[in-house]
Amino acid sequence: MLFKFKSIFNFSFKAKYSFSFIVITFLTQLNYSQENRQFQVFQFPANKIPTIDGNSEDWKMVPKNYVVGMDQLWDDSGKQPKANPKNLDVSVKVGWVKGLNRLYFLYEAYDDYWDFSLPGLHNDTFELIVDADQSGGPFIDRFHPNPSLTNTMEAFFSYHGVHAQNYHIFTPALEKDWTMVWGSQPWIKKLPYANVSYHYNFKPGQSGKLTLEFWITPFDYAGNDPSRAIESILEENKNIGLCWAIIDYDDVNKTENNGFWNLSKEHKMYGNASYSLPFKLMPLENQFKKEIEAKWSFKVVNMPKREVAFVDESDGEVNSWNWDFGDGTTSTEQNPIHQYKEAGKYVVILNIKGPKGTSQLSKVWDVAVK
């Protein structure tokens, strides 16, 4: 019987290896699929940028599919088997504005016990991880890949929070700064890099609803010296890395929290950006778009020859383009390159046509050559 068993499963080493590889790959993909979630960042129209005042009215235009609620979180401390809205109920919306390197957040939460009377880290907390360029990898000093640099002040100042940022946002902050930036760059939590406002009417130990509204600036590089910082460029349809956790305390006399509600499936997301999740910077929703709108930009590609490249960036379906370069010449190309014969400052006009109508955009003296 043993011989038959062996004969049936008498794979060559190569076959066994291939089989094992398939099984491991399948399990890896299964695990990945469980974590393969993508979220959306709502684009606010330029004339409807939310005011940071703790009032959620500005956010009512955000569709429900942008909301991240308790159904997306899990308590990886194991203390709470499932979410109980009578104990804690949280929703988060994230927004952006095209042309601004800012991320806007609306955090709304009901808690049956708000713990925020102590001056240190023992505070109900919204812990936010930002990795806007999706660089991934560990970013706190004790996770440094070189063990000899682990937990050193050198690593803290040169490494901790540099390529991704961790904000311990106190909910609410009482007689202390609104957040602890876990790293050597506390300047990123102040204007002109961030702004915040709260609204609540409860006292420590009471229940109630909190509204937290804020914006932050994401950075590709943010060290101790702000003059060397590099902001992350936010662009339409780009993915950025975000993650958060809600640390819930229910007794001021207990040192341990009552739950660590994590958006990621990996507890160590707080110090490893590879465990953040993709959030897509979405285009404007259709109700905020014009059916057709002329938009364009330009770049001087050769100043000595006075060559200028014009780029059509119009919205809507466009069938024809008509450029007036301001020097008596025109073009019907979508993205023309034009050579000016004379130095000067020019009024350039783009006229477009499509099934939904026409549109025109002129720019006065933006285009200047010498």
Side-chain angles (χ1 to χ4, degrees), residues 50 53-62 106 108 211 213:
D53 57 3
N55 188 332
S56 62
E57 285 295 314
D58 295 341
W59 294 79
K60 286 187 175 180
M61 71 179 75
V62 181
L106 177 67
E108 296 179 293
T211 300
E213 191 178 17

Side-chain angles (χ1 to χ4, degrees), residues 124-139:
D124 287 337
T125 302
F126 177 48
E127 185 171 12
L128 174 66
I129 311 302
V130 184
D131 180 30
D133 64 351
Q134 299 187 105
S135 53
F139 64 93

Side-chain angles (χ1 to χ4, degrees), residues 291-332:
E291 291 185 326
I292 186 168
E293 184 176 15
K295 294 180 181 179
W296 59 272
S297 63
F298 74 96
K299 182 178 181 180
V300 179
V301 293
N302 190 321
M303 184 61 82
K305 292 184 177 181
R306 303 190 189 101
E307 287 184 348
V308 183
F310 294 90
V311 180
D312 170 54
E313 297 174 347
S314 301
D315 291 333
E317 185 179 349
V318 181
N319 292 337
S320 66
W321 298 261
N322 193 303
W323 294 87
D324 182 340
F325 299 120
D327 62 352
T329 63
T330 62
S331 173
T332 56

Side-chain angles (χ1 to χ4, degrees), residues 69-119:
M70 293 296 293
D71 59 321
Q72 295 288 347
L73 308 178
W74 69 297
D75 178 20
D76 68 7
S77 71
K79 298 169 185 174
Q80 305 294 336
K82 64 178 182 178
N84 180 358
K86 293 182 178 180
N87 173 49
L88 179 68
D89 194 15
V90 172
S91 71
V92 182
K93 298 176 183 177
V94 190
W96 76 295
V97 179
K98 190 174 182 179
L100 294 178
N101 297 325
R102 294 179 179 180
L103 293 173
Y104 292 81
F105 291 83
L106 177 67
Y107 176 88
E108 296 179 293
Y110 168 83
D111 196 348
D112 65 341
Y113 184 102
W114 287 101
D115 195 336
F116 59 105
S117 62
L118 301 178

Side-chain angles (χ1 to χ4, degrees), residues 9-55:
F9 292 93
N10 188 20
F11 296 99
S12 67
F13 174 79
K14 184 176 182 180
K16 289 180 180 178
Y17 177 81
S18 299
F19 178 75
S20 299
F21 177 79
I22 292 170
V23 172
I24 292 171
T25 302
F26 172 76
L27 293 174
T28 301
Q29 290 177 341
L30 179 62
N31 182 61
Y32 177 76
S33 67
Q34 292 172 346
E35 186 63 354
N36 188 21
R37 295 175 291 156
Q38 179 165 311
F39 301 90
Q40 297 178 329
V41 182
F42 175 78
Q43 184 179 152
F44 282 97
N47 63 340
K48 297 182 182 296
I49 300 175
T51 303
I52 305 302
D53 57 3
N55 188 332

